[in-house]
Amino acid sequence: MKKINLCFNRMLVILSCIGLSTLSGCSREDEINWDPDAVKEFSGVAVTDAEEGIYFIEEVGEETADGNVLKNVKYFDSEEKASVPLCSKANCKHDSMECPAVQLGEYEGRRLGMLTPYKNALYLYYMSDGTTSFQDVIMKADSDGNNRRVAYTLPQGALLNQAILYQDTLFLSCNMMGEIDDLQGGITETSLYVYDLNEEKEKRIASTSNDQDGYFYYLGCQDGKAYYVDDVYTKKEKPIYTYTISSGEISCINSENTISTSMMYKGKLYGANEKSNDLFSYDVKTKEKVKLATFTPFEEKAHFNIMSSDGLLRLSYLTHPGTRQSKVHYQIYDTEKEKFLYPEYKIGIDLYQHYQDGYIGSKDNETGYFDKRLKFYQLE
């Protein structure tokens, strides 16, 4: 069975690229429908700004003894309802290293993990073997996958958690691997990096050591700023900071925030109160908390979790954990439509982001899109 690579199930945001009909031979920026202020998070699935299509990473062939499989990059055309690999070779089967789309799946021993179209290019993140001496890279290619070259080399030992492109700047959250003592290696700290693609300058803006039992991560970007949170597990408060791109200024704008399971959407975070069963929004600037809806718990003994991405509150209950009967039951609340999407909890269905009149998501571990009637179509 073919699998689509989501790479650590990253939160998904709308990404920018050009349509399939113009993938070949187009090189002028004024021909490309991209939003200069759009926020693009690297992932295994990437939707165009105008929603003409979807780039995605797919595994091809069987898993080898070392646990690796070949990957290729494909493009799904929203109008044609069809997927094609980024390959122009005639009579190509797209299942070996002879295929240009499969060649995009690795670089000098590194494996393709995530991608994002940005302006008139395609950015691809390649992962190394995970030893303390590794260096991952982010490469830039033409929108059809050709002319690939290194755009940024991560610091040595940096294991990427998150990467966002916004206003010609890379924002990266990394676990830093190193020697813990004479006998073992592991995560020594987590760090946030900023890399200016135009000036080719790198800056580390935040770092926390592993003995602090927490980490930094980006919430999102807007108004020329990147927002990030300092999440220390032992503390209730999760302070929010901003990094201003034009000046490099760092400011703590909210020291009272307690939410750590939500990406920012239109300046707000989202959460749930398990005691009152209320869903709420939280404005990161004004600190205003607003009740959105009341949800019905699935089962008292089930393990509850909530995540939020692209304005979708994703409630889940895990039943029978650690057993063969283990199942995850999902319910989704859309803050744009101000309603729950299903009349009851669904097993194995999760939605990540808006797409046309529907959503990008997964069903039974297969990734695809849901139309406005919530009918599922697998990407393949």
Side-chain angles (χ1 to χ4, degrees):
M1 180 181 296
K2 295 181 179 178
K3 297 180 181 179
I4 294 173
N5 186 342
L6 287 178
C7 194
F8 315 125
N9 195 23
R10 296 294 177 196
M11 302 290 185
L12 306 178
V13 292
I14 293 180
L15 304 166
S16 172
C17 68
I18 64 176
L20 179 63
S21 61
T22 57
L23 278 176
S24 299
C26 177
S27 60
R28 294 175 53 212
E29 287 194 19
D30 58 4
E31 294 178 358
I32 298 169
N33 190 7
W34 55 269
D35 180 0
D37 290 319
V39 182
K40 285 91 172 173
E41 184 166 350
F42 282 67
S43 180
V45 179
V47 181
T48 68
D49 271 357
E51 300 185 343
E52 303 109 329
I54 303 168
Y55 281 106
F56 62 97
I57 302 169
E58 184 181 61
E59 295 179 352
V60 293
E62 299 295 327
E63 187 173 296
T64 60
D66 59 4
N68 294 325
V69 294
L70 295 178
K71 300 176 181 180
N72 67 14
V73 179
K74 300 179 76 173
Y75 180 84
F76 173 81
D77 187 283
S78 299
E79 183 176 351
E80 299 295 331
K81 305 298 182 185
S83 300
V84 295
L86 295 191
C87 171
S88 58
K89 286 183 63 176
N91 302 318
C92 183
K93 295 182 179 180
H94 316 300
D95 60 0
S96 72
M97 288 303 294
E98 300 299 318
C99 172
V102 177
Q103 291 170 15
L104 290 173
E106 68 174 51
Y107 172 71
E108 294 186 352
R110 302 173 178 89
R111 294 171 289 112
L112 178 61
M114 298 185 285
L115 53 74
T116 175
Y118 182 67
K119 294 186 177 178
N120 62 335
L122 187 62
Y123 287 81
L124 309 106
Y125 164 62
Y126 291 90
M127 303 178 295
S128 304
D129 59 8
T131 63
T132 56
S133 61
F134 70 87
Q135 277 192 288
D136 294 352
V137 299
I138 291 176
M139 303 192 74
K140 178 181 180 181
D142 296 343
S143 53
D144 59 2
N146 291 320
N147 194 28
R148 186 174 53 159
R149 60 274 195 198
V150 175
Y152 173 66
T153 301
L154 276 68
Q156 183 169 314
L159 180 63
L160 188 65
N161 294 321
Q162 179 189 33
I164 297 174
L165 259 172
Y166 174 65
Q167 293 190 352
D168 294 331
T169 306
L170 275 168
F171 297 93
L172 307 104
S173 171
C174 302
N175 284 336
M176 306 304 296
M177 307 296 290
E179 299 296 334
I180 296 178
D181 53 38
D182 293 339
L183 300 177
Q184 63 179 335
I187 299 173
T188 58
E189 63 182 38
T190 63
S191 298
L192 296 185
Y193 288 89
V194 175
Y195 182 75
D196 188 315
L197 289 170
N198 295 324
E199 297 186 5
E200 299 182 354
K201 291 183 178 180
E202 175 192 272
K203 180 188 300 184
R204 186 169 68 171
I205 62 172
S207 182
T208 180
S209 60
N210 63 338
D211 58 5
Q212 291 180 324
D213 199 21
Y215 63 103
F216 288 98
Y217 65 92
Y218 289 103
L219 297 172
C221 303
Q222 67 179 39
D223 303 325
K225 298 178 180 180
Y227 291 71
Y228 63 92
V229 66
D230 181 5
D231 185 359
V232 177
Y233 305 137
T234 56
K235 295 182 180 180
K236 181 180 179 181
E237 291 75 22
K238 316 293 183 183
I240 298 173
Y241 298 81
T242 60
Y243 172 85
T244 302
I245 296 175
S246 59
S247 66
E249 178 183 0
I250 296 174
S251 301
C252 179
I253 63 166
N254 188 325
S255 60
E256 303 170 12
N257 170 59
T258 61
I259 301 173
S260 61
T261 58
S262 173
M263 296 293 285
M264 189 172 68
Y265 182 69
K266 296 183 177 179
K268 296 178 181 178
L269 300 178
Y270 296 90
N273 186 322
E274 287 189 73
K275 294 183 179 179
S276 63
N277 297 328
D278 290 337
L279 300 179
F280 61 86
S281 65
Y282 179 73
D283 192 298
V284 300
K285 292 183 179 179
T286 67
K287 304 175 185 178
E288 181 183 16
K289 190 175 181 179
V290 177
K291 177 181 174 179
L292 302 174
T294 299
F295 67 94
T296 302
F298 175 76
E299 187 179 292
E300 184 177 349
K301 295 182 179 180
H303 177 72
F304 174 74
N305 188 36
I306 182 171
M307 298 290 290
S308 172
S309 58
D310 199 34
L312 300 174
L313 278 70
R314 300 150 54 199
L315 290 75
S316 66
Y317 282 89
L318 174 64
T319 57
H320 307 292
T323 70
R324 292 182 178 180
Q325 292 75 38
S326 175
K327 296 182 185 299
V328 182
H329 305 257
Y330 290 95
Q331 177 60 282
I332 312 295
Y333 181 85
D334 189 333
T335 60
E336 290 289 342
K337 296 180 178 179
E338 299 182 347
K339 70 175 186 178
F340 291 99
L341 297 182
Y342 294 102
E344 59 186 17
Y345 286 85
K346 296 290 185 178
I347 297 176
I349 291 179
D350 192 12
L351 308 181
Y352 314 131
Q353 74 174 96
H354 295 93
Y355 169 65
Q356 296 186 341
D357 294 330
Y359 306 90
I360 296 292
S362 63
K363 180 179 180 181
D364 299 330
N365 296 318
E366 301 291 349
T367 301
Y369 68 95
F370 295 77
D371 65 15
K372 61 182 179 181
R373 296 180 179 85
L374 299 179
K375 181 179 179 181
F376 177 72
Y377 298 86
Q378 183 180 341
L379 288 175
E380 54 184 356

